[in-house]
Amino acid sequence: MELTAGRTVVPAREGRAVRVPAGRRVRVVDLEGGQVGDLFAFAADDPRERLSAMHTRSVTSRLFPEVGEAFVTDRRRPILALAGDDSPGSHDMLIAACDPARYAALGVPEHRSCARNLDEALAELGLDVTATPQPVNLFMRIPVEEQGRLRWLPAESRPGDSITFEAVMDCVVAVSACPQDQVGINGGEPTSLAIAVL
């Protein structure tokens, strides 16, 4: 479903994409609480250019930008700026999107995945990407502990918590309501998100 304004519900285990003009804000809302959302962004005029977590970390020197800082593309151009965050503030840019190979390794090969959700959401807009980029994992709690170990903890977001971005360029933003129920990040039962273009 394509929307350039308004609100789009992202059903549990599914993905949606919206076009966001430069200067407009886009908000991702956790409707029921405790749900991770994989966010991807692509330049509207050339979807081969996409938000890059690794380039963003090198620009901000942080694991996740602060309010006012920008996420950049793989061409080091700002694409989204973090405009506001009323959640507990746990987000991740280290973990890859779940994909069919991940679920096959977990013994559930037919499981839905964020990679598949991205492909389906972009197809609704007539777009295609050759590879799944590293997502911005909204509300995902993956602390880095001593010795560099990562922990997979349930999302702390509450019903109605949200994070807001401002489009720095015309872009396409895709969000997957992560279907992961084999580890505890979604509390065992994925739920819905919403995308609001403001």
Side-chain angles (χ1 to χ4, degrees), residues 18-157:
V18 295
R19 297 185 187 276
V20 186
R24 295 286 289 274
R25 292 190 172 192
V26 59
R27 178 173 294 150
V28 179
V29 183
D30 187 350
L31 297 177
E32 299 179 45
Q35 175 62 41
V36 169
D38 285 33
L39 178 140
F40 308 86
F42 304 85
D45 60 352
D46 183 0
R48 292 173 299 181
E49 181 178 7
R50 70 276 310 269
L51 187 158
S52 168
M54 63 184 177
H55 290 86
T56 298
R57 290 193 304 267
S58 71
V59 167
T60 62
S61 295
R62 297 175 52 81
L63 289 175
F64 197 85
E66 291 185 317
V67 171
E69 293 183 325
F71 297 81
V72 301
T73 70
D74 52 354
R75 299 178 192 170
R76 298 186 186 272
R77 298 196 304 156
I79 185 168
L80 296 174
L82 184 56
D85 184 2
D86 69 3
S87 77
S90 295
H91 310 287
D92 166 73
M93 292 199 310
L94 296 175
I95 302 301
C98 59
D99 54 30
R102 169 77 163 142
Y103 290 112
L106 292 171
V108 283
E110 301 303 316
H111 202 284
R112 289 195 65 86
S113 69
C114 287
R116 177 179 167 193
N117 288 346
L118 173 64
D119 290 343
E120 291 175 355
L122 292 179
E124 288 287 321
L125 300 185
L127 301 174
D128 184 25
V129 292
T130 57
T132 304
Q134 163 70 54
V136 175
N137 295 306
L138 306 177
F139 314 123
M140 189 170 181
R141 196 158 54 121
I142 306 288
V144 180
E145 299 188 328
E146 290 183 26
Q147 313 293 311
R149 290 193 60 81
L150 303 176
R151 290 187 64 203
W152 299 67
L153 301 178
E156 295 178 305
S157 47

